[in-house]
Amino acid sequence: MLNDQLFNIRSFNPGDQGDCLTASVVLNPGHPLFEGHFPGNPILPGVCTLQIAKELLEKLLGREIMLKKALNIKYLGFINPLTQPEMLFTITLTHGTESTIPFSATVSAEGNAVCSFRGEYGEPL
């Protein structure tokens, strides 16, 4: 794994209708981000979890998107890349308009939910 990549996709499983996604990613514990967050006890910043979900959805949709609304973000645990390098993202898209993509997501590690959130993506500015 390259030190400049935060994560690699291990599996990527879109639903039959293109309205859901299950993906497994593996964090790179050697990424420079973890040197500062936190030294000696690396923790994935919550904003990075949201960014990984966005990048997975962009791969699913085949286009760039931008987070427009973030609702009910709940962090239920920490992700330490040394002890829990693999994360499972389960993302469901709901019906929106041509310019909005409502979604809900759950992130788990070692079978335990560590984050859940919902919101809306749209076209980038």
Side-chain angles (χ1 to χ4, degrees), residues 29-107:
H31 190 277
L33 170 82
F34 296 118
E35 292 172 12
H37 199 271
F38 294 97
N41 186 26
I43 301 294
L44 181 69
V47 70
C48 292
T49 305
L50 301 178
Q51 179 66 26
I52 293 169
K54 174 189 170 283
E55 290 181 28
L56 292 170
L57 276 176
E58 287 178 333
K59 180 176 172 70
L60 174 71
L61 300 170
R63 62 187 164 107
E64 288 186 28
I65 56 175
M66 180 177 177
L67 185 62
K68 299 290 185 171
K69 288 183 186 176
L71 306 166
N72 292 346
I73 300 174
K74 295 179 183 175
Y75 293 100
L76 308 166
F78 297 105
I79 297 291
N80 180 326
L82 298 173
T83 60
Q84 301 166 297
E86 189 166 350
M87 301 167 61
L88 180 66
F89 286 75
T90 304
I91 304 170
T92 303
L93 305 177
T94 55
H95 298 290
T97 66
E98 195 169 304
S99 62
T100 64
I101 307 163
F103 73 94
S104 62
T106 302
V107 183

